[in-house]
Amino acid sequence: MTQFFPSIQPFSSEMLGTSNGHSLYLEQTGNPKGIPVLYIHGGPGAGIGEDYRRFFDPDKYWIIGFDQRGCGKSTPFGELENNNSHALVDDVLLIQQHLGINKWVLFGGSWGSTLALLVAIRQPESVIGLILRGIFLAREQDYTWYLEASGGAAQLFPEYYQDFIAPIKNKPKNVSIVDAYYQIFTSNNEVQKMAAIKAWCLWEARISRLHCQLDEELLVADVHRAISLALLECHYIKHACFIPENHILNNIGKIQHLPATLIHGRYDSVCKIEAAYSLSRQWQNSRLNIVPESGHSAVEKMITQALCAASQSMANFWLGQQ
């Protein structure tokens, strides 16, 4: 299989209120009697889009997607208060309870892989298995790789990195890149803010694919998505994703029994491949698929192929257990 499954529309969509002022956009697609799978989008702040439904066979899967706090169709848009990893895990468990699901598959890429792991660590008994792409473990070294001049991404793309830091070129030396951007994103200078948002999102878009499209205006075409992506990514990184250093690997014992497929592009420049390798080495029931000729993006041909194949394998595994 080399292509997405056919495009389909949700059979249900709704807004689900939380206990502290956020409302989540929630939609369901596929077979409501099938295997429940929760798609956890990246960013933070990227939203679900539409193509995520096509990673799954709609006859076999009950496909559930939601926009995390502050992005997509969830409200209030761009809100940082009560927006942290612990609250997002609570939201996932709220959705599970709301839909009456006992066990489900967790499917996430990039930040979505982080959140999926945090959910599984919190409540492993409710998880069938995990399919994770572009592993991000939210360690100090992962932030350095992505954002710092000494990191791997900057070393691979030095000219793009200069464009990335251009909006904060006059920052004091004792102010970090993240703090400098955060000051702009939370300021009242709308012109400066939008320029910084574009620079932040363009940096990620430029380095996310091995074969990047030439028309860079299309890389940050969705302004609504760009605002939430830049703001929330910066917010989460500023606060170390609200988890202790090395939290995931330190707690991997809680999910050792769960089956997992880890998919990582060989040339992923956003999330370094060492993270996927280190996770697989400590998670004995996981299988690491290093995808050749691929970067970070889920829509690169060979990554898409690997994700669709993994969802089929997970379905066959679970149905074989019934």
Side-chain angles (χ1 to χ4, degrees):
M1 181 180 300
T2 59
Q3 302 296 326
F4 280 123
F5 287 98
S7 179
I8 52 174
Q9 295 302 309
F11 64 77
S12 173
S13 61
E14 60 182 307
M15 298 298 294
L16 178 63
T18 72
S19 61
N20 47 24
H22 286 264
S23 292
L24 311 174
Y25 172 75
L26 173 65
E27 63 179 35
Q28 304 172 59
T29 314
N31 179 4
K33 295 183 179 180
I35 303 164
V37 58
L38 180 71
Y39 176 84
I40 304 178
H41 68 70
I48 52 175
E50 295 183 0
D51 281 343
Y52 82 89
R53 308 168 197 144
R54 302 180 64 191
F55 291 120
F56 313 100
D57 184 335
D59 293 327
K60 295 179 180 178
Y61 278 103
W62 175 11
I63 307 161
I64 302 152
F66 76 108
D67 288 324
Q68 294 164 30
R69 296 184 178 210
C71 69
K73 297 177 182 177
S74 292
T75 59
F77 180 75
E79 179 59 62
L80 302 183
E81 187 175 356
N82 294 317
N83 198 332
N84 56 68
S85 298
H86 309 288
L88 296 189
V89 172
D90 288 343
D91 291 345
V92 169
L93 300 181
L94 175 65
I95 291 168
Q96 186 175 23
Q97 181 183 35
H98 174 71
L99 297 178
I101 295 170
N102 292 321
K103 285 180 175 286
W104 55 5
V105 175
L106 299 178
F107 184 110
S110 194
W111 160 252
S113 73
T114 319
L115 183 52
L117 287 162
L118 295 178
V119 171
I121 288 168
R122 169 89 73 87
Q123 195 164 295
E125 66 275 11
S126 67
V127 180
I128 294 169
L130 300 93
I131 301 171
L132 307 177
R133 171 197 60 82
I135 309 304
F136 183 71
L137 296 180
R139 304 164 299 177
E140 185 63 36
Q141 60 181 289
D142 301 310
Y143 308 132
T144 297
W145 171 277
Y146 179 48
L147 292 177
E148 300 295 334
S150 60
Q155 298 297 306
L156 290 168
F157 301 95
E159 76 280 28
Y160 293 159
Y161 189 75
Q162 289 306 308
D163 292 340
F164 169 58
I165 62 174
I168 56 170
K169 62 184 178 181
N170 295 322
K171 74 174 183 67
K173 289 186 177 181
N174 63 338
V175 175
S176 71
I177 289 172
V178 170
D179 284 342
Y181 260 107
Y182 196 80
Q183 289 173 11
I184 296 174
F185 290 158
T186 55
S187 73
N188 295 320
N189 188 328
E190 294 300 323
V191 174
Q192 187 182 32
K193 185 187 300 185
M194 288 310 300
I197 285 169
K198 181 176 180 180
W200 181 285
C201 293
L202 186 59
W203 166 242
E204 181 171 345
R206 277 172 157 177
I207 68 174
S208 66
R209 300 189 190 190
L210 184 60
H211 305 287
C212 193
Q213 62 194 60
L214 295 178
D215 188 351
E216 293 192 344
E217 289 301 316
L218 298 178
L219 292 177
V220 193
D222 187 339
V223 175
H224 183 80
R225 179 180 182 274
I227 292 170
S228 60
L229 184 65
L231 178 60
L232 289 173
E233 278 191 354
C234 188
H235 171 66
Y236 272 72
I237 294 173
K238 174 179 171 61
H239 295 95
C241 290
F242 302 91
I243 57 175
E245 176 68 9
N246 214 35
H247 174 76
I248 291 171
L249 293 182
N250 286 342
N251 287 275
I252 201 66
K254 296 178 181 178
I255 58 174
Q256 281 288 358
H257 61 291
L258 296 176
T261 299
L262 314 178
I263 295 167
H264 209 101
R266 169 65 73 182
Y267 304 105
D268 189 330
S269 298
V270 177
C271 299
K272 61 178 186 170
I273 195 171
E274 174 275 331
Y277 184 72
S278 294
L279 181 62
S280 70
R281 294 273 291 177
Q282 296 192 37
W283 192 351
Q284 61 187 31
N285 216 19
S286 69
R287 181 177 67 86
L288 174 60
N289 180 4
I290 298 175
V291 183
E293 300 179 37
S294 302
H296 182 70
S297 175
V299 298
E300 290 192 287
K301 183 177 179 180
M302 296 182 72
I303 297 286
T304 299
Q305 177 183 359
L307 289 168
C308 291
S311 75
Q312 285 289 70
S313 295
M314 185 68 75
N316 293 337
F317 165 79
W318 181 248
L319 293 171
Q321 301 296 308
Q322 304 304 296

